[in-house]
Amino acid sequence: MYKRMILRDLKRKKSMNIILLIFVVLSAMFAASSVNNIVAIEGGLDHYFEEAGMADYYILSHKSNGKDSVEELLKNSENAKSYRKDDIILTSKDNFKHNDKKIMEYSNISMVQSLSGSDFNFFDSDNKIVKEVGSGKMYITGAIVGKSDLQVGDKLTLSIGEIKMEFEFAGVLKDALFGSELMDIPRMLVSDEDFRKIANDDYVKQCSMCSLYYIDTDYSSALESEIADAENVYFSLGNDTIKLRYFMNTLVAAIILIIGIGLIAVSFAVLRFTIGFSIAEEFREIGVMKAVGLKNTSIRSLYLAKYFFIALVGAVIGYFLSIPFGKMLIESVSENMVLENRNSVMLGIFCCIAVIIIILFFSWNCTGKIKKLSPIDAVRSGQTGERFHKKSILHLGKTRLNSTVFLALNDVFSQPKQFAVITFIFALCTVFVMVLSVTANTLCSKNLIGVVSITESDVYYPDTQRAMEIMTGAKTERETEKEISDILAQNNMPGTVYMEAWYKFPVTVNGRKYNMTFTKCRDTKMTEYTYTAGSPPMYENEIALSEVMAEKLDIEIGDTLIINIDGKERDFILTALFQSVMQTGQIGRLYQTLEIPDRLITGTPAYQIDFDDDPDEKTIAVRVEKLKDIFQNKDIYDVREFIAQTTGVSDTVKSVRDLVLIISLIVIVLIAVLMERSFISKEKSEIALMKAIGLKNSAIMAQHTGRFLISVILAQIIAAALCVPLLKLLIDPIFGMLGATGIIQYQFDVMEQFVVYPLIITATVVISTFLTAIYTRTIKASDTANIE
């Protein structure tokens, strides 16, 4: 009997059941794929690190005159259980050419090392460990290679010092240590023989030879304190920091999971409406069943069986669709990671079963209305004849609205619960798109200039070659700035050139030592930066720290810390705090006139250029393109491009925003069609009566479309009101994990977020509803007495 009744009901309400099935499919698909991807990334990251031979702590240090103070320290350290060392040659993109052109564009340093001389494991595209590099061949790690035109078999020329060697590009490898999107320092892997040839060059020995240490320790904090006094340390990182650099790889999966949760919420709203509509429509059948002796539980079980069947079929389809969908989502992540999720099948099945259980539980609660119906309802056409409140706040006799607008408004106010569900769904779809749009715009806006620990300039020019010349003592900072300034003047673009220099100094606080990164620009006043607390440093013995670093050091404004600069310890007073995403927020800022030898510089984000004639944005854009040709360097940016390049994820967020917009439009079309088709079925006799008294088809279609238009307009208003709170709730923590713990100034594009996207969504609702409302033409005036 159950089977016969279920099949009859499924056939009778095809459109409603199909749309409900689609929502279940989408919910199961998104839930299974996103949970699997998050588990694959989070659990797979540990697996990837283990397979790669990662350690607990890493140090990159420069060999000064063949000596390495770090190794001597590690040999005698009680905090280092063991360590491994790779000999590294520091290079830049200018050292590599293909057909006399740079093969890749990147702003970081790069490294040349021997593959067989390392205990660290690198992986090919098939996730197999590469154990050998042939003579004359070169592998390159990192996502940067994929953004170039480099193909396997291409010839590369390495020029460094007196060395000029040709290599054949053998392929791209995955590097667990430096391969994340937020780090992406390329490593060039060559054979032992080729590495020795390069390393024997006098210039390389003096300026470019470094050691990369992989240290196993249970006491990372103590080791960090111990190596603070070591000389020529370019960077020191713990495993937790490396893992944090892979955070953006989980962002897409996390957003998809949020969308999946939103879809499940939408599915519940649709389910509640569907069940409520079915019970209201089938009052006669329910009354008869009660009259012949069926209990509430038995009648509710009939409905539960139907929705169990829909949930089961939808979950099964959703599970199988989640496999290719999840694979598509994780492809971009697996380009630079080795991922493994051995429990993907079980996790997917578990998510789908959870969706089924939640839907059944919700369905059982929604069928509680059946208890209120009695056999007499079948006789009274589902009405008790009692109503103790006004059906609507509108009065036909008092309104000045035309009949179509009045009927549309009256329907919305007469059925607030039903239209509240519709409004909620439209608002949810809209606010997701708004939040992602604001986030994408913020990640490439001037509002973040203070968060990247730099001041606003006309142009930013990352030049690793000149930066390395400063670091190795070949040139001074002022000499490289003058070189660039002279080139600008020769090309009729005179301007001021300066750089924000980075340093690595030992810091002592409350008896504990740390190795800390500091930034300083000789040509920028401390008052030109932005701060979250305190006042800018006014003297050379005052400094500012990021909020993350101040928390790590457990100090507050007014406290004193000791910094060892070039072997001399000096006391500094903390006067201000700021927020920064550089170095994951672990950074400090020194006073601009503090004298520090150029040889202690460990890097710079970019040379900053301020043109003398104060050009507008269009002129700057033209000059940026011109400078790219002059310097033969594509990595030259205006302020917005520099922010986007530094954060590195604005394009990813834009892609996710577009995906969410497409999904939202699909959901909106399904909801509009389902609801309108249900309303037409429910209001068949009312539509027939309206036609009987002379209303035309166009007026009825306009009324039906108008009430959805009212709902979507209300939804846009609600979404706009929720946008900022949701940004604070969902996006602020993401910036916080990257080091920006203070207030983020979000970039709102009023036209895009509050005009374009709302208009797209509104147009989708209106068109979908109108096309569905055409079905009202099939209803005739003679159907007035038909309540079936």
Side-chain angles (χ1 to χ4, degrees), residues 326-499:
K327 185 178 180 181
M328 178 193 72
L329 291 176
I330 209 165
E331 275 182 356
S332 60
V333 177
S334 60
E335 286 179 0
N336 56 5
M337 292 179 66
V338 176
L339 298 178
E340 183 178 89
N341 183 5
R342 298 175 183 175
N343 299 315
S344 60
V345 174
M346 293 305 299
L347 269 175
I349 293 173
F350 174 80
C351 289
C352 292
I353 290 174
V355 170
I356 293 173
I357 292 172
I358 294 171
I359 288 175
L360 289 180
F361 179 77
F362 190 76
S363 300
W364 180 260
N365 285 338
C366 289
T367 56
K369 294 180 180 179
I370 292 174
K371 295 178 182 180
K372 299 179 181 179
L373 296 177
S374 64
I376 198 66
D377 289 309
V379 179
R380 293 179 173 175
S381 300
Q383 301 294 328
T384 62
E386 297 176 340
R387 187 173 75 224
F388 300 101
H389 58 83
K390 293 180 180 179
K391 191 173 182 181
S392 173
I393 62 174
L394 300 179
H395 300 277
L396 183 59
K398 297 179 180 180
T399 183
R400 295 183 179 180
L401 302 172
N402 65 42
S403 59
T404 301
V405 176
F406 173 82
L407 288 171
L409 283 170
N410 188 65
D411 285 344
V412 173
F413 289 118
S414 299
Q415 305 172 74
K417 290 184 179 180
Q418 291 180 354
F419 283 96
V421 170
I422 298 171
T423 303
F424 161 75
I425 294 170
F426 292 161
L428 189 65
C429 293
T430 304
V431 78
F432 273 156
V433 177
M434 282 183 175
V435 166
L436 289 173
S437 177
V438 173
T439 304
N441 290 340
T442 301
L443 289 168
C444 56
S445 76
K446 292 182 180 180
N447 292 349
L448 287 188
I449 193 67
V451 179
V452 296
S453 301
I454 206 166
T455 53
E456 185 176 343
S457 293
D458 293 332
V459 174
Y460 298 83
Y461 171 34
D463 189 332
T464 53
Q465 183 65 35
R466 285 187 170 88
M468 286 185 62
E469 289 174 345
I470 299 172
M471 292 159 59
T472 57
K475 294 179 181 178
T476 65
E477 176 188 335
R478 289 303 190 196
E479 286 174 346
T480 60
E481 291 169 352
K482 188 175 186 304
E483 285 179 357
I484 298 172
S485 180
D486 290 343
I487 293 172
L488 293 175
Q490 292 167 11
N491 288 275
N492 300 317
M493 293 181 288
T496 304
V497 181
Y498 52 97
M499 62 178 277

Side-chain angles (χ1 to χ4, degrees), residues 128-405:
K128 304 294 183 183
I129 296 175
V130 177
K131 299 181 180 291
E132 184 180 4
V133 179
S135 179
K137 295 191 176 183
M138 176 184 288
Y139 283 99
I140 304 178
T141 71
I144 290 172
V145 187
K147 300 173 185 176
S148 69
D149 297 327
L150 200 58
Q151 302 293 325
V152 174
D154 286 348
K155 300 297 181 181
L156 317 177
T157 302
L158 169 63
S159 301
I160 182 170
E162 299 296 324
I163 295 291
K164 188 172 185 179
M165 297 176 63
E166 188 175 80
F167 292 90
E168 179 184 333
F169 177 54
V172 182
L173 298 184
K174 299 177 183 181
D175 180 2
L177 181 55
F178 296 123
S180 66
E181 290 283 353
L182 289 179
M183 194 170 234
D184 216 358
I185 298 176
R187 290 206 253 188
M188 286 63 179
L189 307 172
V190 299
S191 66
D192 286 346
E193 179 184 355
D194 291 332
F195 183 79
R196 284 193 294 270
K197 288 180 183 178
I198 303 169
N200 283 333
D201 180 78
D202 290 337
Y203 172 83
V204 172
K205 286 180 180 178
Q206 181 67 28
C207 301
S208 300
M209 287 301 298
C210 295
S211 298
L212 176 61
Y213 293 94
Y214 308 85
I215 307 163
D216 296 315
T217 176
D218 294 328
Y219 309 100
S220 295
S221 297
L223 180 64
E224 180 183 8
S225 177
E226 192 173 0
I227 59 103
D229 291 327
E231 297 178 353
N232 302 316
V233 173
Y234 285 149
F235 69 73
S236 55
L237 299 170
N239 219 15
D240 291 341
T241 303
I242 300 297
K243 284 186 176 180
L244 184 59
R245 301 297 173 94
Y246 283 91
F247 165 73
M248 298 315 297
N249 292 326
T250 65
L251 180 61
V252 174
I255 292 174
I256 295 299
L257 180 59
I258 293 171
I259 295 170
I261 294 171
L263 278 171
I264 292 173
V266 171
S267 299
F268 289 163
V270 172
L271 188 61
R272 183 182 182 280
F273 172 83
T274 304
I275 293 174
F277 173 76
S278 297
I279 292 172
E281 188 184 42
E282 296 168 1
F283 62 89
R284 184 174 283 176
E285 289 89 338
I286 295 171
V288 171
M289 284 189 285
K290 286 197 173 187
V292 298
L294 267 71
K295 296 181 178 179
N296 287 320
T297 303
S298 299
I299 300 172
R300 294 172 74 181
S301 297
L302 282 171
Y303 285 92
L304 204 63
K306 168 190 169 181
Y307 295 115
F308 171 73
F309 176 77
I310 293 175
L312 179 62
V313 173
V316 171
I317 297 173
Y319 168 74
F320 285 106
L321 289 178
S322 73
I323 297 172
F325 183 69
K327 185 178 180 181
M328 178 193 72
L329 291 176
I330 209 165
E331 275 182 356
S332 60
V333 177
S334 60
E335 286 179 0
N336 56 5
M337 292 179 66
V338 176
L339 298 178
E340 183 178 89
N341 183 5
R342 298 175 183 175
N343 299 315
S344 60
V345 174
M346 293 305 299
L347 269 175
I349 293 173
F350 174 80
C351 289
C352 292
I353 290 174
V355 170
I356 293 173
I357 292 172
I358 294 171
I359 288 175
L360 289 180
F361 179 77
F362 190 76
S363 300
W364 180 260
N365 285 338
C366 289
T367 56
K369 294 180 180 179
I370 292 174
K371 295 178 182 180
K372 299 179 181 179
L373 296 177
S374 64
I376 198 66
D377 289 309
V379 179
R380 293 179 173 175
S381 300
Q383 301 294 328
T384 62
E386 297 176 340
R387 187 173 75 224
F388 300 101
H389 58 83
K390 293 180 180 179
K391 191 173 182 181
S392 173
I393 62 174
L394 300 179
H395 300 277
L396 183 59
K398 297 179 180 180
T399 183
R400 295 183 179 180
L401 302 172
N402 65 42
S403 59
T404 301
V405 176

Side-chain angles (χ1 to χ4, degrees), residues 422-605:
I422 298 171
T423 303
F424 161 75
I425 294 170
F426 292 161
L428 189 65
C429 293
T430 304
V431 78
F432 273 156
V433 177
M434 282 183 175
V435 166
L436 289 173
S437 177
V438 173
T439 304
N441 290 340
T442 301
L443 289 168
C444 56
S445 76
K446 292 182 180 180
N447 292 349
L448 287 188
I449 193 67
V451 179
V452 296
S453 301
I454 206 166
T455 53
E456 185 176 343
S457 293
D458 293 332
V459 174
Y460 298 83
Y461 171 34
D463 189 332
T464 53
Q465 183 65 35
R466 285 187 170 88
M468 286 185 62
E469 289 174 345
I470 299 172
M471 292 159 59
T472 57
K475 294 179 181 178
T476 65
E477 176 188 335
R478 289 303 190 196
E479 286 174 346
T480 60
E481 291 169 352
K482 188 175 186 304
E483 285 179 357
I484 298 172
S485 180
D486 290 343
I487 293 172
L488 293 175
Q490 292 167 11
N491 288 275
N492 300 317
M493 293 181 288
T496 304
V497 181
Y498 52 97
M499 62 178 277
E500 194 86 31
W502 289 351
Y503 306 88
K504 196 85 170 178
F505 295 134
V507 177
T508 304
V509 179
N510 298 325
R512 292 199 62 182
K513 288 187 176 181
Y514 304 86
N515 219 335
M516 239 188 92
T517 298
F518 289 91
T519 179
K520 179 179 79 75
C521 180
R522 295 172 179 174
D523 303 287
T524 304
K525 296 179 181 179
M526 300 301 284
T527 53
E528 294 180 40
Y529 299 100
T530 56
Y531 302 90
T532 57
S535 56
M538 301 296 292
Y539 304 99
E540 291 186 356
N541 68 331
E542 295 180 348
I543 66 165
L545 291 180
S546 69
E547 293 184 345
V548 172
M549 202 65 221
E551 183 178 353
K552 180 178 179 179
L553 299 179
D554 192 23
I555 61 175
E556 299 177 348
I557 292 175
D559 290 346
T560 301
L561 59 160
I562 301 170
I563 304 177
N564 188 322
I565 301 176
D566 200 22
K568 298 179 181 178
E569 291 189 341
R570 296 181 58 177
D571 290 345
F572 289 84
I573 301 172
L574 177 62
T575 66
L577 300 177
F578 60 93
Q579 58 177 336
S580 174
V581 296
M582 307 301 286
Q583 303 290 316
T584 61
Q586 301 187 42
I587 197 168
R589 182 173 293 132
L590 299 169
Y591 194 72
Q592 70 264 19
T593 61
L594 184 66
E595 285 298 325
I596 303 175
D598 286 349
R599 59 183 169 79
L600 298 181
I601 293 175
T602 60
T604 177

Side-chain angles (χ1 to χ4, degrees), residues 13-23 266-275 277-278 421-422 425-426 666-682 708 768-769 772:
K13 300 176 181 176
K14 285 182 182 178
S15 58
M16 185 181 294
N17 292 325
I18 288 172
I19 291 174
L20 182 58
L21 177 65
I22 291 172
F23 275 108
V266 171
S267 299
F268 289 163
V270 172
L271 188 61
R272 183 182 182 280
F273 172 83
T274 304
I275 293 174
F277 173 76
S278 297
V421 170
I422 298 171
I425 294 170
F426 292 161
I666 293 171
V667 169
I668 285 167
V669 169
L670 292 173
I671 289 296
V673 172
L674 170 66
M675 296 299 194
E676 174 57 17
R677 189 66 184 83
S678 301
F679 285 144
I680 293 172
S681 178
K682 179 182 177 183
F708 277 83
S768 302
T769 308
T772 309

